[in-house]
Amino acid sequence: MFGGWAAIGAVAVAVGAQAPQVPAQSPGVLLDEQIRIVGSQTYQNLVTGVSRFSNGVTVYYGPTKITAESVVADRGKQTASASGNVIITDPEGTIQATDIELNWAEGSRRATAQNVRIELAGARLRAKSAVLTDTLWVFENIEGTTCGQNTPFYSIRSPRFEIVPGKSGTLVKPVVSLFGRKLLTLPSQRFNLDPRVQGIRPPNIAYRKDQGIGIAWNGQFLIDSQTAGAFDLGAFRGGYPNYSLGISRSFVSSEKTKAFITPRDDLGDRFNVGYFDSIELNSPNAGFRNLSNPRSTLAVSTQFNRGAVIGPSELSYSRPLDIAYELGGKSGSIGTIGQIRAQNIRAQGYPSVNRISMGGTAITDVLPVGKRLGVVGSIDAQSFLSQNQYGWARASAGLVYEPISQLRLGAATFLGKEFGESDFPADELYAKSGYALRADLTLGGLRARYMLKYDTQRKWYDREYSINQAIGCIEAFVLYRQYPQTYLVGVKLRVDQFVDLLQRKKFERTKPVPMKKTVISGG
């Protein structure tokens, strides 16, 4: 967003760098291979360094087009202004304002606009004013929606909207309207925009099959740019309260990774990054993209009365102390993640154990073997060193075929092997040898996915499906996984594109733009 407005600043810099000119009539001034400015009248003051373009001005900055009644640039002060129905048209979207002022001086970059209308990343916004810097965006008296109708299904209005790009946002006392009618006013809302932490969710009522109804609350939050805290609290009628507290320090700059700072939980779903592992992954290379993010994190946590994905659901675990180091990243067409842990762990009915655990995953990108056929593969392994010694390894390989763009079919086989005697049921390999079948279908606003898994011992042990139906600016969804047991149904707003924009710390184009040199004769 700031990048489109800053285009005027780039134009002004280039104008000031040209050889001195006298007032002139010109159909176009070519400043370099990307910048061209067209105005009925062009004037430059050789003493003050001020350039004026008036009587209808069009600026071409690469793929960005800016139109205004007049543009004034001061190279000495490193400021510029555009006035009179300013319209910025960019592959990312459109911005309109009555006036825009810019300062591109080092350390003082700032854009100010009045009476702003924005259509960007699927969202439509209106604001009385906007002030943008590299570190903070502020919109006053803003109203917005992601619906395309003249009377939108929903809209949100706020006297002030603050965004720290890529970090957080704050909506001051937002007013929610449905079909143009005010529904309710909420307290000021602060939300997370950093993809490396999940943010803090409100406490919610939850249901567990073995414990009944209760209250759960969890979240992740930044302590500084590379340190995160995490917590998970729960109280259920049929069980003891549970908690988890942890702190993690990443040694990878926030500019170089989008991976969660908090390491993966070894009591959670250990097979959740492969296309044939979880129906929640929407593409064959989603797991590879995830594990391609650099990771180097040291974490310390404590947990009490935690459940585990593997083993009896009523069996809970406590880890008074757990120290973990996680490392990962991309090597060619392979994404990797590995962990080493030192922990004290115990479970109901089992003795307390001090041990070291080591494990990791390597997953390939989609390797093409034909026009519409690709291969994916992965290797997983984990070992536990205590008085007992136990470990397992599993390899998987699959084929993905796209007969048409709307349909994707896949089949995979996996083979696992265990060694030694485990300390707890949660350590063990659940499915050891079998195969998986999957089909994905996309028809307009409908996305449907279905998967079956078979194990030679457990037979058909897992069935998973996901159905998403877009209806204008909302989306209805159903998600079911037999193992691990998951069932979600609901309706959500389609705001993914807009949230992705707000999560960017720097403006980067997401749409391909053809670039070519512009040649003007007689200009």
Side-chain angles (χ1 to χ4, degrees):
M1 190 182 300
F2 186 85
W5 293 0
I8 299 178
V11 170
V13 172
V15 168
Q18 303 304 302
Q21 298 180 10
V22 295
Q25 299 285 338
S26 174
V29 178
L30 181 65
L31 304 180
D32 64 14
E33 292 187 356
Q34 291 194 51
I35 302 174
R36 176 165 61 99
I37 187 164
V38 178
S40 298
Q41 291 185 341
T42 302
Y43 176 82
Q44 293 192 48
N45 189 310
L46 305 182
V47 177
T48 63
V50 175
S51 304
R52 299 178 184 273
F53 302 87
S54 58
N55 290 353
V57 185
T58 303
V59 179
Y60 300 92
Y61 177 66
T64 303
K65 176 183 174 182
I66 306 165
T67 60
E69 288 299 317
S70 64
V71 173
V72 179
D74 189 325
R75 184 169 180 260
K77 295 181 179 179
Q78 294 186 291
T79 61
S81 64
S83 59
N85 192 28
V86 184
I87 301 176
I88 301 174
T89 305
D90 186 89
E92 296 288 336
T94 302
I95 301 171
Q96 294 180 265
T98 54
D99 301 280
I100 293 178
E101 295 182 357
L102 287 161
N103 184 328
W104 67 90
E106 187 67 29
S108 303
R109 281 165 48 90
R110 180 186 181 94
T112 303
Q114 305 298 323
N115 302 315
V116 184
R117 290 176 177 265
I118 300 173
E119 293 187 10
L120 201 66
R124 295 189 301 157
L125 308 173
R126 293 186 303 172
K128 183 177 180 180
S129 66
V131 178
L132 281 73
T133 68
D134 288 332
T135 57
L136 180 65
W137 302 351
V138 178
F139 297 88
E140 301 285 353
N141 294 329
I142 186 171
E143 183 174 7
T145 182
T146 56
C147 300
Q149 303 92 332
N150 291 331
T151 302
F153 168 71
Y154 83 95
S155 64
I156 299 174
R157 186 173 71 254
S158 171
R160 186 177 176 90
F161 183 26
E162 296 181 359
I163 302 167
V164 180
K167 293 184 178 180
S168 64
T170 302
L171 267 174
V172 177
K173 296 183 178 179
V175 177
V176 180
S177 298
L178 295 181
F179 299 108
R181 295 182 177 274
K182 177 181 175 181
L183 181 64
L184 75 164
T185 300
L186 299 173
S188 295
Q189 303 290 311
R190 180 179 173 85
F191 51 91
N192 173 65
L193 291 172
D194 195 314
R196 300 173 303 147
V197 292
Q198 293 178 342
I200 299 176
R201 299 181 174 93
N204 63 89
I205 297 175
Y207 174 78
R208 292 179 180 172
K209 185 177 180 180
D210 56 316
Q211 296 182 358
I213 295 177
I215 296 177
W217 187 30
N218 59 73
Q220 298 175 359
F221 55 93
L222 287 175
I223 298 173
D224 60 35
S225 63
Q226 291 179 235
T227 306
F231 68 91
D232 190 344
L233 309 174
F236 289 80
R237 185 176 181 181
Y240 295 105
N242 66 272
Y243 78 84
S244 172
L245 301 172
I247 185 170
S248 305
R249 174 70 178 179
S250 173
F251 303 104
V252 180
S253 166
S254 61
E255 305 293 334
K256 296 181 179 180
T257 185
K258 293 183 179 180
F260 284 138
I261 295 178
T262 302
R264 294 173 66 189
D265 186 357
D266 61 342
L267 292 178
D269 184 6
R270 59 170 59 122
F271 299 115
N272 61 358
V273 296
Y275 181 66
F276 293 98
D277 292 333
S278 172
I279 203 70
E280 296 183 63
L281 276 74
N282 58 17
S283 68
N285 63 354
F288 168 75
R289 293 199 308 268
N290 179 12
L291 297 195
S292 293
N293 281 290
R295 290 171 166 86
S296 179
T297 303
L298 181 64
V300 179
S301 65
T302 179
Q303 300 177 341
F304 174 74
N305 203 31
R306 273 286 316 279
V309 168
I310 297 176
S313 59
E314 67 275 7
L315 186 61
S316 62
Y317 294 81
S318 296
R319 293 187 290 193
L321 179 63
D322 183 273
I323 302 173
Y325 177 70
E326 184 172 79
L327 182 68
K330 181 176 69 171
S331 177
S333 297
I334 299 176
T336 63
I337 186 172
Q339 288 186 353
I340 181 169
R341 290 177 178 267
Q343 58 186 202
N344 172 264
I345 181 172
R346 61 178 182 267
Q348 293 172 327
Y350 290 81
S352 177
V353 175
N354 294 316
R355 66 181 186 178
I356 300 292
S357 74
M358 296 175 288
T361 297
I363 189 169
T364 69
D365 195 0
V366 180
L367 306 176
V369 294
K371 186 176 181 180
R372 298 183 177 274
L373 186 66
V375 176
V376 293
S378 65
I379 297 176
D380 302 87
Q382 192 162 15
S383 64
F384 302 88
L385 305 178
S386 61
Q387 289 184 345
N388 296 329
Q389 294 190 11
Y390 171 77
W392 57 262
R394 194 189 83 153
S396 173
L399 289 173
V400 180
Y401 176 58
E402 294 189 19
I404 55 177
S405 59
Q406 297 87 355
L407 179 64
R408 182 186 297 127
L409 304 173
T413 182
F414 59 88
L415 178 63
K417 182 68 175 178
E418 294 178 293
F419 310 90
E421 182 180 352
S422 65
D423 294 319
F424 306 102
D427 301 338
E428 298 172 4
L429 193 60
Y430 184 77
K432 302 176 180 63
S433 176
Y435 56 85
L437 304 172
R438 176 166 173 163
D440 295 8
L441 176 67
T442 302
L443 290 175
L446 172 67
R447 290 179 289 121
R449 304 190 288 266
Y450 189 83
M451 181 162 60
L452 292 172
K453 297 180 186 177
Y454 179 87
D455 177 71
T456 53
Q457 294 180 348
R458 300 181 183 275
K459 307 306 178 183
W460 295 103
Y461 72 96
D462 186 23
R463 179 169 64 99
E464 305 184 13
Y465 59 83
S466 171
I467 302 173
N468 295 65
Q469 177 63 62
I471 309 169
C473 55
I474 62 174
E475 185 173 293
F477 65 90
V478 176
L479 172 68
Y480 173 76
R481 299 184 69 192
Q482 183 178 347
Y483 176 82
Q485 191 175 56
T486 305
Y487 184 69
L488 299 172
V489 59
V491 177
K492 62 181 180 180
L493 299 176
R494 300 178 66 193
V495 296
D496 293 348
Q497 282 184 293
F498 186 60
V499 171
D500 176 69
L501 173 71
L502 300 184
Q503 286 182 330
R504 301 184 213 167
K505 292 188 176 181
K506 296 181 180 179
F507 182 86
E508 297 174 345
R509 299 194 187 282
T510 60
K511 299 179 181 179
V513 177
M515 300 300 296
K516 62 181 181 179
K517 184 174 181 178
T518 304
V519 178
I520 301 178
S521 59

